[in-house]
Amino acid sequence: METKVLSNTFLQVLQHCSLFQGISQEQISTILNTMVYELMPVQRDSFIAMEGDAYRQISIILSGEVAIKKIYGSGKSVTVTTLGTGDIFGELMVFTNRTLPSTVSAQTEVTLLQISQQEVLRLCQQDPLFLQNLMGLLSNKIWMLNEKLKLLSYGSLRQKITSLLLEYQHQQQTPDLHLPFTRQEMADQLGVPRPSLSREMAAMKREGLIDYWKHHVRMLELEKLESIMLE
């Protein structure tokens, strides 16, 4: 990989990136000076990596937006998630011989900082804080995957919606929730078509269980919602 000089703007992005949490901008500059990395510009609507590729590197999004998609033989695709500036992908692939389970594409013009498997291993050996951050990143990703599996295991769509809302209610400690995703992203997360999600949420609103507008959901009948999970 070719080494290039990062701008102050990109250094600020790295400072707020979970992989460099607790590491000062000066320390990040020092780390970058001792390692080999690549700055990769990607045009909008271009593929970054395809399902089935051996992706042995960590990619940090310095600018732009990336989509993780599942593309089927018919040509149809489902967006699993979208990632923005400061987000990371590829971290689960660094220590495995498996291939990418999804396709990664650029939603906008994107700039990536890519760190090879060899450099990741070297940094883990040399910098305990980098290793700690990477382990935290991997642990959080595994936890999120387990939560998604739990959502998919529920029998009814209403249970899936309620489980997701209860999780955010627990995190935010309020029945007035701000959901950090669009309705389509919520449908993708639950593994259901968006029209089905909209119909069920509208039914829950008519029944007085919830109210919602844009990215906000108000849980009106918390006890009744909790009882849905016991059905």
Side-chain angles (χ1 to χ4, degrees), residues 34-201:
T34 65
M35 63 180 279
V36 179
Y37 60 89
E38 182 178 8
L39 284 182
M40 180 181 175
V42 185
Q43 295 296 315
R44 180 175 182 171
D45 297 327
S46 298
F47 291 113
I48 297 169
M50 300 294 294
E51 180 178 347
D53 287 350
Y55 201 79
R56 301 292 177 261
Q57 57 198 357
I58 288 179
S59 291
I60 303 172
I61 303 171
L62 296 179
S63 66
E65 188 174 276
V66 162
I68 311 296
K69 297 182 177 182
K70 190 72 176 178
I71 300 178
Y72 299 97
S74 63
K76 294 182 178 180
S77 66
V78 173
T79 299
V80 178
T81 189
T82 56
L83 304 173
T85 300
D87 288 332
I88 299 169
F89 63 91
E91 70 279 11
L92 290 177
M93 307 306 299
V94 172
F95 303 109
T96 179
N97 292 323
R98 297 181 181 275
T99 58
L100 272 178
S102 304
T103 293
V104 186
S105 63
Q107 296 284 82
T108 63
E109 288 189 359
V110 170
T111 301
L112 301 176
L113 185 147
Q114 297 183 317
I115 309 173
S116 70
Q117 180 187 55
Q118 292 76 15
E119 286 296 295
V120 172
L121 291 171
R122 188 181 65 79
L123 285 170
C124 287
Q125 293 170 352
Q126 292 187 357
D127 193 317
L129 188 51
F130 182 90
L131 174 60
Q132 179 181 318
N133 289 341
L134 178 59
M135 291 300 100
L137 182 64
L138 294 174
S139 297
N140 286 335
K141 183 63 67 72
I142 292 169
W143 180 85
M144 289 171 62
L145 290 173
N146 285 337
E147 287 298 300
K148 188 159 189 176
L149 283 174
K150 183 176 73 174
L151 284 174
L152 295 175
S153 70
Y154 290 121
S156 70
L157 176 53
R158 181 164 294 199
Q159 285 179 321
K160 293 178 181 180
I161 295 169
T162 302
S163 176
L164 185 65
L165 296 180
L166 288 173
E167 179 63 34
Y168 276 93
Q169 186 267 336
H170 176 71
Q171 291 179 16
Q172 299 178 17
Q173 292 295 301
T174 175
D176 293 324
L177 309 178
H178 173 75
L179 301 182
F181 38 67
T182 65
R183 196 74 76 231
Q184 181 61 60
E185 289 168 344
M186 183 177 178
D188 292 340
Q189 188 171 347
L190 296 176
V192 299
R194 178 176 173 175
S196 299
L197 172 65
S198 297
R199 282 195 299 270
E200 189 60 37
M201 289 189 69

Side-chain angles (χ1 to χ4, degrees), residues 24-37:
S24 70
Q25 192 167 319
E26 292 75 17
Q27 289 173 309
I28 294 171
S29 295
T30 300
I31 291 171
L32 293 175
N33 288 333
T34 65
M35 63 180 279
V36 179
Y37 60 89

